[in-house]
Amino acid sequence: MMGFDFVLYEQDYDQIQQVLHRLKEGANAQMVFLIDRNGSMVAFQGDTENIDTTSFASLAAGNVAATESLARLLGEREFNVLYHEGVGQNIHMSLIGQRVILVVIFSNKSALGLVRLRVKQATTELERIFNNLMEKLEHDRELISASLNQFAEITDEDIDALFGGPESERDRGRPR
């Protein structure tokens, strides 16, 4: 599936950060990332000092894309949740509304069940934020389109008249 581009408003970004913070604390996670399907980091919470977040975001998006291909080979539309279990750290990834990937990194001090519960709660909040964001973006697109249509009605003669070109009103009727 293709990714999509979107612009975050500051208010939406702040709401996303709050949701990620609650998720990190509630799941006793080390880090939480929100990544778009193109592999760009949207937001994160936690200590990322020892992680190349750009590479991590790209690889996570690639992992989701590869898993989608595997799902299609098996006749599934997708696998919504990916889980990687390590010796010291675990990764839980889930798709939110086909738009973004929520990644939770947690150690053995937490439990998969707790992470899943908190991710489910956070997903509901993030879906609401993104749905509101999409409505705002659609509204903005309509305003921009209306503005552009307003300029489409302007003719070359109107521009000449405005800037005093050879076809301007004041030049008409004057001897040359």
Side-chain angles (χ1 to χ4, degrees):
M1 169 168 219
M2 291 184 59
F4 71 102
D5 295 323
F6 59 90
V7 176
L8 278 179
Y9 295 93
E10 185 174 345
Q11 178 185 5
D12 300 314
Y13 180 77
D14 291 343
Q15 289 176 350
I16 289 169
Q17 286 288 12
Q18 291 170 9
V19 171
L20 296 185
H21 178 75
R22 282 193 300 273
L23 172 58
K24 179 186 164 291
E25 296 300 314
N28 197 22
Q30 297 168 315
M31 293 170 266
V32 177
F33 299 95
L34 192 63
I35 301 165
D36 77 7
R37 293 186 66 117
N38 294 325
S40 297
M41 185 70 67
V42 176
F44 63 88
Q45 285 286 317
D47 182 11
T48 60
E49 188 173 310
N50 296 323
I51 291 184
D52 177 355
T53 56
T54 302
S55 296
F56 185 85
S58 296
L59 291 169
N63 191 346
V64 168
T67 303
E68 274 184 358
S69 295
L70 288 172
R72 275 188 243 120
L73 287 174
L74 297 174
E76 292 287 328
R77 191 174 139 228
E78 65 188 13
F79 294 123
N80 288 339
V81 174
L82 306 176
Y83 175 66
H84 299 283
E85 184 175 324
V87 173
Q89 294 183 326
N90 309 299
I91 300 174
H92 183 280
M93 291 191 266
S94 55
L95 282 173
I96 297 179
Q98 298 298 315
R99 296 182 178 122
V100 290
I101 304 160
L102 179 61
V103 181
V104 179
I105 299 176
F106 61 101
S107 70
N108 295 332
K109 293 179 182 174
S110 186
L112 178 59
L114 177 62
V115 171
R116 284 185 165 184
L117 174 67
R118 299 299 186 204
V119 164
K120 187 174 181 180
Q121 293 167 340
T123 297
T124 300
E125 293 181 67
L126 290 169
E127 284 176 338
R128 181 188 49 77
I129 292 168
F130 277 97
N131 287 338
N132 289 339
L133 175 64
M134 292 301 122
E135 287 177 13
K136 282 191 256 181
L137 291 174
E138 183 60 32
H139 177 73
D140 288 352
R141 280 190 202 110
E142 289 173 6
L143 288 176
I144 290 170
S145 178
S147 295
L148 291 176
N149 286 339
Q150 182 180 14
F151 290 119
E153 296 173 3
I154 297 174
T155 64
D156 289 340
E157 290 78 23
D158 293 334
I159 294 172
D160 286 341
L162 181 64
F163 294 106
E167 299 293 326
S168 70
E169 291 289 329
R170 72 174 180 198
D171 291 337
R172 290 188 187 144
R174 288 187 179 175
R176 294 185 185 215

